[in-house]
Amino acid sequence: MIAGGLRLLVPAMRSALDDCRSCEARCRSLCGSVSGAGLAEFADIAETIRLRPHQRVVTEGDPAAHVFNIVSGAAKLVKAMPDGRQQIVGFLLSGDFFGLPVGGAYPYSVEAIGEARLCRFERARFEALLGRLPAVETALRERLIADLGAAQEHMLSLGQKSALERLAGFLMQLSLRAGRLGLPSNPVQLPMTRAEIADYLGLTLETVSRTFGRLKDRGLIAVRGRHEITLKAMAHLDELAQGDEAPMVRRAEGDLRCRSVGS
Amino acid sequence: MIAGGLRLLVPAMRSALDDCRSCEARCRSLCGSVSGAGLAEFADIAETIRLRPHQRVVTEGDPAAHVFNIVSGAAKLVKAMPDGRQQIVGFLLSGDFFGLPVGGAYPYSVEAIGEARLCRFERARFEALLGRLPAVETALRERLIADLGAAQEHMLSLGQKSALERLAGFLMQLSLRAGRLGLPSNPVQLPMTRAEIADYLGLTLETVSRTFGRLKDRGLIAVRGRHEITLKAMAHLDELAQGDEAPMVRRAEGDLRCRSVGS
DNA sequence: CGCTGGGTTGATCGCACTCAACCCGCGTGG
DNA sequence: CCACGCGGGTTGAGTGCGATCAACCCAGCG
């Protein structure tokens, strides 16, 4: 999960929403944690929302009155600076959860990528439910820990990796994630634009475009259309993303310096 | 909290540790969430550990058998790459909590900065306790959400901000954090080295050193010794950190300002 | 004393940013 | 039907911020 992933609430909406059947398979692992009664309670406070492309559901800094769950489509979590710079801190796919506030306010804005359908809960009621359903509370904790881990992994990318390494890692992430959702993991589908990839990876759209070219030149990927990438050497891509292969920059390992005394 | 902050367990150690009194004041807000019996249970499974400077308690990738709570001193969360590059994803101060695994393994290494004392719990027992103490589970959830928010804020820094903006933001963070711990918030104490600041901000130590110089030249800070910084214009520093003032587009204006001072 | 770890400063380099032109597909409307 | 605009993408030329390499400084300490 690149960011706010939390797939436990989808089952709750089966009775509230009529066309959620595509979610059923992929969230089965967490269905067991919700009792029949609890499931009904979730359905009770659920509300369906449809989003047009680029439409915003949540605005950074607003008081957090609701939490959300993506049913279908994709969205992005955006943190903006006053001068227009922005960082996408995560992409959300169907089943992902978001909207938990920091200090009472949303810490990011959320906008749809393409059409999206999602499910809304009043936050107060949602939190009240958590108290009554410890299994859900535990599942939520697990997801938060996973998200925190993903965030830390992304910090490593943003702070230390080259453009090539970041993009390779991004493609591998998308592939793994699609696989977990039961979708084909090799021709990777990119619902987002180059500019959005750039804002996620801390690069510019030109650099992203050029870096796709470099990956293609190396024979690691094939670009088919704007939104489909074929991974031609996943193991190699992964090595590249991890920085395993010879990079231009090699930093000395500080702790073992005592070995080679001045010679 | 810059990273794995979680201050709820400290009270539990009052009976297990004799000299934790400095923690008492700062964790009072969460003390109420633990019943007397629960507190005793925590004390029961607590174990004290002392660390020498640079000593490692947790290694990235190892199976996570314990969770920890910092009693005194400071530590860093480090993610490393095979070629030696590393990203510090957080600094821990007294009261902070860490060690929750992603996929069963620690997602980072943890090393002491200077001397540190901490408290260790077996993870299985800790999680069992969470089930019996819902108030603690809730407090843990709150801390995880706050940590996730801090991580996302840091992504914005790493992905979009200049060296000057990152360092200004870092100093403001440290100041706020010290204030929350009941320590003086203006002459900021830096327990870590320049190299560690660099690895946290995604810069090199040379750039960090030069950027301290630029902040000093602008009259925003005063550097006293290696580990103490006086913030001379916190409002201005904060604007700088947020990117409110003229950023990358017209760097010339910033240079103009320096020139008029210099010549 | 000299050694060592941490910090500062200078000179140079290079990756990614910036600015800019251009391409392509698509929808709209004359 | 083509003209046009527009959003998204690619490519090229030049720039600059921060990385790299390398002295040098300073304090603590055996």
Side-chain angles (χ1 to χ4, degrees), chain B residues 200-251:
Chain B
Y200 178 68
L201 297 179
L203 302 169
T204 60
L205 63 92
E206 295 96 328
T207 297
V208 168
S209 182
R210 274 185 255 269
T211 307
F212 269 122
R214 289 167 67 191
L215 287 176
K216 199 170 56 179
D217 290 346
R218 291 196 182 194
L220 298 178
I221 65 170
V223 183
R224 195 191 305 272
R226 269 129 187 67
H227 295 301
E228 182 176 320
I229 306 283
T230 305
L231 310 184
K232 301 176 72 176
M234 296 190 49
H236 201 309
L237 267 178
D238 204 50
E239 278 177 18
L240 181 55
Q242 309 293 325
D244 269 340
E245 84 166 20
M248 49 186 179
V249 191
R250 281 284 157 256
R251 181 78 50 184

Side-chain angles (χ1 to χ4, degrees), chain B:
Chain B
M1 325 326 165
I2 296 185
L6 181 73
R7 221 162 292 128
L8 77 164
L9 295 177
V10 178
M13 294 176 301
R14 272 187 315 204
S15 45
L17 306 169
D18 33 36
D19 49 359
C20 183
R21 74 173 60 95
S22 67
C23 312
E24 288 189 34
R26 63 181 89 114
C27 58
R28 195 151 292 157
S29 63
L30 285 160
C31 284
S33 65
V34 182
S35 69
L39 204 150
E41 287 193 83
F42 270 119
D44 228 31
I45 64 173
E47 198 177 343
T48 303
I49 292 190
R50 276 182 180 71
L51 296 181
R52 305 250 141 259
H54 304 125
Q55 191 177 341
R56 173 176 295 194
V57 244
V58 151
T59 298
E60 186 178 355
D62 279 3
H66 299 89
V67 297
F68 304 83
N69 200 344
I70 300 215
V71 177
S72 67
K76 53 180 175 177
L77 305 180
V78 184
K79 287 184 79 77
M81 292 174 65
D83 63 358
R85 283 177 284 176
Q86 54 180 45
Q87 176 69 32
I88 294 179
V89 298
F91 289 112
L92 303 174
L93 300 182
S94 58
D96 285 338
F97 178 84
F98 67 93
L100 292 171
V102 173
Y106 294 119
Y108 41 65
S109 300
V110 180
E111 290 174 28
I113 297 176
E115 307 259 339
R117 191 166 44 220
L118 39 87
C119 193
R120 191 175 82 170
F121 307 85
E122 267 182 44
R123 184 167 68 91
R125 285 168 152 195
F126 171 77
E127 290 179 353
L129 269 187
L130 283 184
R132 269 175 279 145
L133 302 172
V136 177
E137 172 85 83
T138 299
L140 175 57
R141 188 183 79 222
E142 293 295 338
R143 305 302 317 184
L144 285 171
I145 293 171
D147 284 353
L148 187 55
Q152 291 166 341
E153 197 65 44
H154 198 204
M155 286 186 222
L156 177 61
S157 271
L158 293 172
Q160 305 296 336
K161 294 185 183 175
S162 70
L164 209 57
E165 292 164 341
R166 290 185 211 185
L167 190 56
F170 177 66
L171 294 175
M172 290 302 297
Q173 272 187 350
L174 284 185
S175 173
L176 284 176
R177 212 174 167 195
R180 271 191 236 107
L181 286 176
L183 303 169
S185 70
N186 193 335
V188 177
Q189 298 298 321
L190 306 178
M192 66 292 287
T193 68
R194 299 287 185 268
E196 287 165 333
I197 296 172
D199 281 342
Y200 178 68
L201 297 179
L203 302 169
T204 60
L205 63 92
E206 295 96 328
T207 297
V208 168
S209 182
R210 274 185 255 269
T211 307
F212 269 122
R214 289 167 67 191
L215 287 176
K216 199 170 56 179
D217 290 346
R218 291 196 182 194
L220 298 178
I221 65 170
V223 183
R224 195 191 305 272
R226 269 129 187 67
H227 295 301
E228 182 176 320
I229 306 283
T230 305
L231 310 184
K232 301 176 72 176
M234 296 190 49
H236 201 309
L237 267 178
D238 204 50
E239 278 177 18
L240 181 55
Q242 309 293 325
D244 269 340
E245 84 166 20
M248 49 186 179
V249 191
R250 281 284 157 256
R251 181 78 50 184
E253 289 170 10
D255 290 343
L256 274 175
R257 213 178 290 172
C258 296
R259 250 193 286 156
S260 61
V261 172
S263 53

